[in-house]
Amino acid sequence: MRHKAVYTTGEAARICNLSQQTIIRCFDSGQLEGFRVPGSKFRRIPRDKLVTFMKANAIPLEGLDDDRVRVLVVDDDPQIVELFTDVLEADGRFEMATAQTGYDAGVQTQQFRPDVVVLDYMLPDVNGDAVCRTIRENPELAHIRILIISGMVNPGEVDRLKHAGADDFIKKPFNIEKVIERIVSLARG
Amino acid sequence: MARFAGHDEAAGRLTSEQFDLLAGQIELLPTLPGVAARAVAAAVPQTDASGDDDLVALVRCDAALTAMLLARANAHGSAGTVGEARDVLGPAGFRAAVVAACCVHDEADTVEADLWHDALAMACAAEALSGPFGCDGERAFAAGLLCVLGELGLQAALPKGSARAADAAAGGGETLDNARQRILGTDAASFARRLAARWRLPAGLRDAIWLHDQSAETIRVAAADADLAATVRLARAAAEQAHLLHPGRGAEHDAAPRALDDLAVQFGVAPEAVHRVVEQLEARVAGLVTRMGLDRPASHRERIDALTAAAGRLAADNAALHDRARQAATHVDALSCGRDLAAACRPDASLPEAVTALARIVARLSGADGSAAAYGLATDGDTILAVKLEPGTTADARTARRADGAPPAAGERSVVLRALLAETSDLAGWLPPAATLHVPLRIGDARDSDTRDNWVGGLFVPPAAGPVASAAAPLLAAMLGEALARARGTELAERLARACTALDHARDALAEQKSVAAIEAMASGAAHELNNPLAVISGRSQLMAERSDDDRQRRTWTLIAEQAHRISDVITELMNYANPSPPRPEPVDPAALLCETQKSLGESKESQAAGLEVDIQDGASRCRLRADRSQLGEVFAELVSNAAAAGARTVRLEAESDEFHDAVVLRLIDDGAGMDPTSVEQVFTPFFSDHKAGRRLGMGLARARRYVELNGGRIRLHSRPDAGTTVHVRLPAAGEDE
């Protein structure tokens, strides 16, 4: 996993183990240098400026060196979640979090800041396309790749999910190697 | 066969009255030359009634002769079987009628011989099934035999149109009856009803013939003799079940296999009894086929020899008849006016018969000249049906289009004709010159005389006969009005029967739609509820295989994972069948697509299609149709794979546009092992497979049918063991500018 060149405030907060609000305050006061995305108010922090900020404030740099792919697995079936946990943790290239409902998925997306969300389509509270749309509506989360994984295989549904913002679709049951390959290739974007 | 004037067979669909006129002109139906020769040979040597049994036995197996003899007999008395017809006509009259019928037609070899086999199959089945219904076996036999009456009549009256309809049905994509309805404007059953009514066959027999392919409910409501009609309906289903009916007359191959049992139960007959009849049917029919000589090629020479032998006998009979006719002639005049009146008022008289009878009455009233014409409004309100009589000629009938506007009042012919007829009509020159005065016929109160609703027809008479005709007009109008009401009733009944058939089909389609919806709901549920555990089974098995050091264990874990995927594939197939993507139609070259499909199938090592040769008929490479390319590709892939699996070496593609250029009919003909009739019946059923070993999923042809139907087409399959398989696919044609 290569290092990122530019971070969002959320990513910087995660790396520094600070709240996003603290990072924003430091950015606005000039303590943390960066730039705003042209035509919008969103803040971006180049890697070297972040390193400078961390050193100046004695913040440990380990968070910066963690180049594992962050995967959020969302499925209401605990056995599926457990399977992914076994597979991804054994692989070593992934850091993972899990959620069993659409609501949990929303919270975890904000907190965990995953690179890839592996999302079951049929969730107990909302459907996968609603989760997709929620993620896509937040520009702060624009980097997140969404891999839908479902037992439903209707081609019309797949089109609809892609339209709602899903990046790829895999049918259950799946080939484990192929799922891992797909997660890695999505994370590399 | 005589034609009524003014009808051009190429002009297309006919009106109700034109069918009545056609029915009226059919006196005899053609029989096969071989049957005719045997019938004449059986008739000639007999000198008394004791030897008639052989002749009766032969005639009762021939639909054309049976119909003719029943028609003759019912003109004088009442007969529902050949034996009764012999009793009515007397032995000599019976023999003479048979010989005369066999002598008249010299084009009989144009008639389709398959009809005789079908007729015998239905007759034997009806006779065998008559017991449970409490019907007379001989009567049931006649009714079953005469189910082909409409087809024989249409072939005799409209040979070209019938041949076109047969070609269209043979090309696949529609039933024979649908093709006849589309091309001729009638179906065989309705035409049979008109012929039976014209020949005054008993009402029970007439309805049994007419309703022989209707549902149990329709038969209960509409048939004059519900038991006889039910016997014949069940007989037809039994003959279908025994595969004794030729393609086109049998049910659609995608009909439910349990249709016979269901029908038996609806009629209150134990299905086992019907199955016993089905089992014995082939042997019974084979016996009669041999007796009639249908299993030997028909011989013209044989027939000519028999006819020569009959000539002497007929000459003697004719001389005797001539003497009797001369004696009777003196009484004819006195009786004929009354006969005409009776003919017009007869409860089963058709509209053309009533108008002809009116013309005869008016001709008599007009005195010595005897020329007159009468017309009636046809049931469609846009056509008039006219009959003219001139001394020394037979009645001549024709139809013409009526002008728009109010009915013409009484007056001079030239004025009336302008008001009466559309400009294209040529009736003006056709009417008898002496008949110059028009007398309109109206029913009801004189105060309503200007309304269109009560105008039923009119008369053209010589001026001298005007006062008499005007005086008789109310009575004649009442007679004509009644005939018109009857004709409308007949037409409505026929429409109702057709609507019942359409309703049956709609009901079947709805039932299928429901079952597809149920499959969809089940497959959707299964996709979610089964694919999750399958994903766990498969995923865990893959992990175990990866972690195992033992080859044997690794193979086992891999096998478990593969089988989990296989179960999931079944669910996916079901989902695709029940809920396929909507088609995206585009112009498609079927020949190129078939070659492409075969090539890509051939590239797969496992595919048996690798060595299969595709043979494209010249015409097929010029046809363009409109369909979803990817779905049609899957249909072709399934058909080619099936052909390869059946051991075919070549698949031939034939294609042609239908006659209206709005559809393309494709025929994929393979030289593989073919299928038995039971397999053919179920071939489009999901999960059906006739592969004994290496069983495939059995969804391919079901999905192929679904795709063809989604693209606005139809698919049918004909196959026999060791004779290959032909699949007919009918799809919309691409537009000329596409």
Side-chain angles (χ1 to χ4, degrees), chain A residues 86 151 154 171-174 176, chain B residues 531-532 540 542 568 572 579:
Chain A
D86 280 4
N154 187 315
K171 176 185 158 298
K172 285 179 187 170
F174 41 78
I176 287 175
Chain B
N531 278 333
N532 263 7
R540 290 285 170 199
Q542 290 174 57
S568 177
T572 306
N579 191 14

Side-chain angles (χ1 to χ4, degrees), chain B residues 189-279:
Chain B
S190 297
F191 194 61
R193 181 179 194 248
R194 285 169 192 268
L195 275 177
R198 156 86 188 161
W199 291 338
R200 297 179 214 171
L201 304 194
L205 185 59
R206 179 197 65 201
D207 287 353
I209 300 167
W210 173 41
L211 300 169
H212 75 272
D213 58 353
Q214 288 287 343
S215 66
E217 295 97 315
T218 311
I219 285 171
R220 257 183 232 119
V221 175
D225 181 343
D227 288 333
L228 184 62
T231 308
V232 174
R233 176 66 189 93
L234 200 55
R236 180 191 155 116
E240 275 168 12
Q241 182 81 3
H243 306 293
L244 292 174
L245 296 192
H246 285 82
R249 254 181 304 284
E252 308 242 341
H253 287 303
D254 46 10
R258 291 185 52 77
L260 178 66
D261 287 3
D262 293 345
L263 201 60
V265 171
Q266 284 172 31
F267 285 132
V269 177
E272 299 73 33
V274 183
H275 286 290
R276 276 197 297 279
V277 169
V278 170
E279 280 161 23

Side-chain angles (χ1 to χ4, degrees), chain B residues 252-255 512 577 635 638-639 642 675 678-689 698-706 708-709 714-718 725-729:
Chain B
E252 308 242 341
H253 287 303
D254 46 10
E512 191 177 323
Y577 169 75
V635 172
E638 187 53 40
L639 298 180
N642 267 344
M675 278 176 268
T678 313
S679 296
V680 171
E681 269 177 10
Q682 298 181 59
V683 80
F684 292 115
T685 309
F687 293 117
F688 172 78
S689 174
M699 285 298 291
L701 282 175
R703 198 178 63 236
R705 184 174 81 160
R706 192 108 166 92
V708 169
E709 289 176 356
R714 294 205 59 186
I715 185 168
R716 291 156 68 94
L717 184 146
H718 294 122
T725 298
T726 301
V727 182
H728 305 265
V729 180

Side-chain angles (χ1 to χ4, degrees), chain B residues 550-569:
Chain B
D550 182 273
D551 272 357
R552 205 169 142 197
Q553 278 193 1
R554 197 179 305 124
R555 276 202 300 277
T556 306
W557 288 118
T558 308
L559 180 68
I560 293 172
E562 283 170 3
Q563 294 303 309
H565 282 267
R566 193 170 156 192
I567 296 172
S568 177
D569 288 344

